[in-house]
Amino acid sequence: MTLTDHIQETTAFLRDRQPENWQPQAALILGSGLNQISTAMQDAVVIDYDEIPHFLRTQVEGHSGKLHMGWLGGAPTICFQGRQHLYEGPRQGIDAWTVALRAIRALGVDILFLTAAAGSLNKTMTPGSLMMVADHLNLTGYNPLVGPNDEATGPRFPNMGRAYDPDLRSWLLDIAIADNIPLVEGVYAGMLGPNFETAAEVRMLQTIGADAVGMSVTTECLIAHHCGMRVMACSAITNFAEGLSSIAPTHEETLEMAEQCSGRLTQLLFGFFESLA
Ligand code: HPA
């Protein structure tokens, strides 16, 4: 079976299970500790990733692996609760995202909103902040678009100038201002992980223009942008990266801090999805 066959099977499976009178407009991927938003979904059909053919598999604590197809703030939305990371296994993570994101594109999704925990590379951006991704540095060493290109899906050589949709970004900034939610813009450096960065890597990332560092976002953005979705991403800043504070980053700390950011992020997302509806 080819990748295209897999995508078609996944799309057909989801179409079969989707709610009635529902045409998805947007999708949302929830990062570690950011699951609270899924409880705001209305009338959702919830399916375990394990049941969906060729779909994501999740293993990390804080990622439960459920797909919600319903409404968020009145907008027909698909919500991914739990993500697969590249560090879980070479290529598997990439192919699973390729299938999942191209399948939801085939269902009609236009906007993909990514959320993720990230470490701050900037002393003025303290843990607990929300950073909207304006651009990224893909330092994972992987690219999900490597391999034969299907021109019907997207171009061989996609340009990345508008990879994080400028119109949607300014829209979200307006919502943040109106709702009095502090939101800054910055550059996200995507690393393969699973280790947190060394102090030397952190200095390199600062030098090359990154504001925050994490282990997701870039892969999903590349796949989604390539197949024509408008992408936006918000990071919950959960910690200072190595060397910026006396506290060494840990997974437990990132989960705890993400949960603290979750309320404000939920409010922001809700406002955004409400304005879509
Ligand atoms: N580095 C990489 N990924 C992360 C971090 C970090 O400091 N915090 C949350 N995700």
Side-chain angles (χ1 to χ4, degrees):
M1 260 190 139
T2 65
L3 184 62
T4 308
D5 296 330
H6 284 180
I7 294 163
Q8 280 170 359
E9 259 192 38
T10 308
T11 308
F13 177 92
L14 295 177
R15 200 167 266 144
D16 204 44
R17 302 281 294 268
Q18 72 187 30
E20 269 175 52
N21 302 320
W22 178 87
Q23 168 68 47
Q25 194 178 359
L28 172 63
I29 300 177
L30 302 181
S32 315
L34 299 169
N35 290 336
Q36 185 190 329
I37 305 159
S38 62
T39 60
M41 293 283 297
Q42 298 132 352
D43 302 321
V45 171
V46 183
I47 313 173
D48 282 345
Y49 288 176
D50 292 347
E51 283 181 50
I52 309 171
H54 320 297
F55 215 68
L56 307 161
R57 304 283 174 257
T58 54
Q59 297 152 14
V60 184
E61 192 195 330
H63 297 256
S64 46
K66 287 186 191 325
L67 191 77
H68 303 245
M69 295 192 281
W71 285 263
L72 186 61
T77 300
I78 297 177
C79 175
F80 292 80
Q81 185 185 355
R83 54 150 63 82
Q84 189 155 358
H85 298 84
L86 293 178
Y87 58 72
E88 287 165 55
R91 294 242 36 108
Q92 290 166 18
I94 296 181
D95 290 341
W97 272 123
T98 302
V99 170
L101 295 179
R102 287 186 186 166
I104 64 163
R105 178 68 177 144
L107 290 180
V109 170
D110 173 44
I111 295 171
L112 179 66
F113 202 128
L114 309 170
T115 64
S120 173
L121 299 165
N122 179 337
K123 279 219 162 122
T124 66
M125 191 165 65
T126 53
S129 308
L130 296 178
M131 188 191 93
M132 176 159 66
V133 179
D135 207 347
H136 78 213
L137 294 159
N138 177 18
L139 303 172
T140 61
Y142 283 99
N143 193 307
L145 306 178
V146 167
N149 186 59
D150 173 11
E151 282 296 319
T153 301
R156 171 77 290 185
F157 302 107
N159 70 58
M160 294 295 287
R162 295 173 60 89
Y164 296 89
D165 192 273
D167 302 328
L168 296 179
R169 274 163 44 211
S170 73
W171 189 358
L172 193 71
L173 280 175
D174 288 344
I175 292 170
I177 291 166
D179 287 352
N180 216 0
I181 301 169
L183 180 67
V184 292
E185 280 200 284
V187 173
Y188 177 99
M191 302 287 278
L192 178 60
N195 59 292
F196 289 105
E197 299 66 39
T198 65
E201 285 164 345
V202 168
R203 289 193 298 275
M204 172 193 75
L205 295 172
Q206 291 171 319
T207 305
I208 64 177
D211 299 293
V213 57
M215 304 174 197
S216 57
V217 173
T218 55
T219 305
E220 295 112 312
C221 171
L222 283 162
I223 298 165
H225 178 63
H226 173 254
C227 70
M229 284 190 264
R230 294 192 286 160
V231 177
M232 44 195 319
C234 259
S235 277
I237 301 298
T238 54
N239 57 284
F240 277 123
E242 189 66 49
L244 270 82
S245 101
S246 56
I247 309 163
T250 63
H251 183 57
E252 292 68 34
E253 183 205 1
T254 61
L255 279 182
E256 211 178 292
M257 205 59 196
E259 272 154 30
Q260 284 188 36
C261 294
S262 192
R264 263 170 300 131
L265 189 56
T266 301
Q267 194 191 342
L268 187 63
L269 282 163
F270 204 78
F272 179 80
F273 282 84
E274 234 174 4
S275 73
L276 280 184

